[in-house]
Amino acid sequence: MSDPSTSPGLLSVNSLTYRYGDRLAVDDVSFTIRSGEVLGLLGPNGAGKTTTISCLSGLLSDYVGEMSFEDGPFRPAERASDRMRLGVVPQDLAIYENLSASQNLRLFSKLLGLNSASAATAVQEQLTLAGLADRADERVTRFSGGMKRRLNLAIGLLHRPPLIVLDEPTVGVDPQSRALLCESLAALRAGGTSILYTTHYMDEAQRLCDRIAIMCDGRIAAVGTQSELAESTGRADASLEEVFLHLTGRSLRDT
């Protein structure tokens, strides 16, 4: 596997700005995701992470700024071919609970335009990756929260996109499911898949991410490796949580 630090840029975001009416949610944000890299996007509630992801995935179109993918213009809100370059795993579960796991995967395979042979292979691969092969025909309404999260991830991987965008994929799950999800993501990275990862769990970010971008009040406060970010505090041994609080403050953001 190549070193992501020397890899070319896969997705570049330049001066991304987005407003909800008079409220500035994303303010002149720029970053690059390299080939084969896991880039963590961390920030307190309301920092602009989900809005940024919504612009990248084509859910929001009226942004200011430019995006490029492998040196070509990237306009996911306008072009389905650009959206197919991403696998988006949202924070809110995007699954049909009255269907089984395999039925969900087959349905989304059709929506993605996979042919029958490709879909059959992809469904089996993702059931195995998600640890759901032995529960494939069980209705999802009977699944635990962790199983639903794993199925949510599997759906985003069906078309083998070069970049996976994950918005807090392990929220509310037990340690065993968190461990399996993190192992699955580490395997994807080892296989050359790039990942944009948001989480509030600092241990996950430390374990998975090659670099971390920290957002606060709609802006990127810092980007770098964990050791580079630690240096910004004046202490080389600062933990990621200490770096995070140093850059974003200690005020509560739940209002």
Side-chain angles (χ1 to χ4, degrees), residues 18-215:
Y18 191 87
R19 293 180 178 272
Y20 293 101
D22 293 332
R23 184 170 70 86
L24 183 59
V26 177
D27 183 9
D28 196 32
V29 162
S30 298
F31 61 87
T32 296
I33 303 171
R34 299 166 180 161
S35 296
E37 162 181 70
V38 181
L39 177 67
L41 184 61
L42 309 185
N45 292 333
K49 304 184 301 297
T50 297
T51 299
T52 298
I53 287 175
S54 295
C55 292
L56 299 186
S57 59
L59 292 174
L60 296 175
S61 59
D62 50 339
Y63 56 81
V64 175
E66 296 182 349
M67 294 184 282
S68 62
F69 201 104
E70 295 181 327
D71 296 327
F74 184 65
R75 301 187 183 96
E78 301 172 18
R79 299 191 297 220
S81 59
D82 283 352
R83 293 193 294 275
M84 285 293 288
R85 294 182 167 193
L86 307 180
V88 180
V89 182
Q91 182 177 345
D92 294 328
L93 294 171
I95 56 180
Y96 292 95
E97 297 202 7
N98 61 325
L99 301 180
S100 69
S102 59
Q103 287 173 329
N104 267 279
L105 290 165
R106 288 197 297 270
L107 171 62
F108 280 98
S109 294
K110 290 182 179 179
L111 294 175
L112 288 163
L114 300 184
N115 62 42
S116 297
S118 296
T121 299
V123 167
Q124 290 305 311
E125 285 179 349
Q126 295 313 318
L127 285 170
T128 300
L129 181 70
L132 295 172
D134 61 339
R135 309 286 290 272
D137 297 322
E138 187 172 332
R139 188 173 294 185
V140 173
T141 190
R142 299 177 182 176
F143 282 9
S144 68
M147 293 167 69
K148 292 175 183 177
R149 286 284 168 192
R150 280 145 44 200
L151 178 60
N152 206 44
L153 172 63
I155 289 169
L157 299 174
L158 279 166
H159 59 304
R160 298 176 180 171
L163 174 61
I164 308 296
V165 179
L166 300 109
D167 193 2
E168 299 187 40
T170 63
V171 64
V173 304
D174 59 37
Q176 288 81 6
S177 287
R178 279 185 67 198
L180 180 58
L181 282 163
C182 289
E183 289 167 7
S184 298
L185 296 175
L188 288 168
R189 177 196 178 279
T193 300
S194 300
I195 300 172
L196 178 62
Y197 193 83
T198 79
T199 182
H200 286 299
Y201 298 118
M202 298 295 119
D203 60 319
E204 287 183 5
Q206 289 182 228
R207 174 181 175 183
L208 290 170
C209 299
D210 299 290
R211 292 185 303 136
I212 294 167
I214 297 181
M215 287 191 74

